[in-house]
Amino acid sequence: MSKHLKIFVSVLFIVIIILSVCITRFYFDVSKDTGKNISTPVIYSRTEQSVDGLYIFKSESGLLGVSDENSNIILEPQWNTIEIENENSFIVSSDSFGSENLYGCVDSEGNVKVPFIYSGFEKFGTENMTFYVGQVAGDSSCIVYNNSFNPCFNRVWQSYEISGNKIKLCYGENIYSYFAGDDGISLKSAVVKNKAMSKKYSVNINSRVLLSKLDYRNLEKISDCISAYLNYAFTENNSYIDEYIIPERSQEYRVFFSEYPELVSKKLRAVKDISVYQEKLSDGSQYITASVKISAGISYIIDSENFDLTDNYRAVLRFQEKEFGTVSMISASFSDDRIKPEEISDSPEN
């Protein structure tokens, strides 16, 4: 996915949430005065168990609302279901959009906090910090909210799996495992899938230090840069890396076997292993480095003789952390793309 498309998707996500809230408010006139200014109402039935001194009650029409211990109405009875999360957050459902019962969240004033686009919510986390997964109605996608019902990520995830205080979030073939603690949610492992020259590969990261610095967007950018550089290194087509180059900055991006005019052809056979780590050079500069081990085949001519060679090579890509928690690729090259004398003698002729 190109950088411009990713920006478009992020903006679209925000627009969808805003539109969903606006549409919900159009359908529900729930921003009414609360129990502060309402005399004691006649309540048909009330639950015996309170949450933060609040009770769920049922009106004569069979719809649910929320009242305080003095029977003052907090939420008008117009909901099919209600879950009291705290004194200012209520997960409610309604079928006012049609036959399907949709879920959202409103505050104690009846204002919409989470739009009514969900088939339900699932919770995970700790006793002191709860997170909510809104399951988008009609498919398996979801949005994750914190205990204030603000989105945790600028993304609609395609699927999820909860186990205790852990959640696995999937986007395409990418898998991110998060841990929910009292201090919030943190990334514990990531598997990012991609391909270069039609060869598939995975970037697997489990380093706690590295994952504390890189979110899913940066991990996907590093993976995209690896793909772009390998495509460029084997095709010598600058368009693959144009969007990752920083203007007005000295950078080095070398093609594969760039110093050998004898080379006839080169072919990427496999991306075998990728490791991402923090690196500190002798001059004190620090980078995030991706080491990429590949298998490649080359054909070359020396002294009018044709040779074929298949071997493993290593590409090194360096990234620099920038402001706002982003990373930028600043160099990429192969550390061992050269023809050795013994390789010439061992290589079979065409």
Side-chain angles (χ1 to χ4, degrees), residues 9-23 115 117-118 136 143 156:
V9 171
S10 298
V11 172
L12 183 61
F13 167 80
I14 297 172
V15 171
I16 289 172
I17 294 296
I18 293 173
L19 286 177
S20 298
V21 171
C22 292
I23 292 171
I117 58 174
Y118 300 105
V136 177
I143 297 175
V156 178

Side-chain angles (χ1 to χ4, degrees), residues 93-138:
S93 70
S94 174
D95 56 6
S96 296
F97 291 111
S99 59
E100 186 175 7
N101 204 38
L102 295 178
Y103 290 76
C105 178
V106 296
D107 64 16
S108 59
E109 300 292 329
N111 299 308
V112 177
K113 299 179 72 173
V114 173
F116 287 76
I117 58 174
Y118 300 105
S119 60
F121 285 86
E122 192 170 352
K123 306 175 190 178
F124 70 103
T126 68
E127 184 177 345
N128 299 319
M129 182 68 72
T130 303
F131 294 87
Y132 301 84
V133 183
Q135 304 147 34
V136 177

Side-chain angles (χ1 to χ4, degrees), residues 21 94 130 158-159 196 217 225 242 289 311 318:
V21 171
S94 174
T130 303
Q158 293 176 341
S159 64
R217 289 165 294 192
C225 285
D242 279 346
T289 299
D311 205 347
R318 289 196 172 96

Side-chain angles (χ1 to χ4, degrees), residues 234-284:
F234 279 84
T235 66
E236 303 185 25
N237 184 342
N238 286 294
S239 65
Y240 283 111
I241 61 171
D242 279 346
E243 67 177 285
Y244 302 105
I245 293 176
I246 304 172
E248 301 177 356
R249 180 169 181 172
S250 176
Q251 301 161 86
E252 180 188 17
Y253 301 101
R254 286 201 302 111
V255 299
F256 187 53
F257 274 89
S258 60
E259 299 177 1
Y260 288 88
E262 304 91 347
L263 209 66
V264 176
S265 65
K266 48 193 174 184
K267 182 177 182 180
L268 177 65
R269 298 193 181 279
V271 181
K272 305 183 74 172
D273 183 64
I274 297 174
S275 58
V276 181
Y277 52 90
Q278 286 187 295
E279 182 182 22
K280 186 175 182 178
L281 302 184
S282 57
D283 61 2

Side-chain angles (χ1 to χ4, degrees), residues 47 49-56 66-67 84-87 90:
T47 58
Q49 189 174 12
S50 69
V51 178
D52 294 331
L54 301 177
Y55 296 83
I56 298 174
V66 175
S67 68
I84 302 174
E85 300 306 320
N86 55 59
E87 62 183 8
F90 308 91

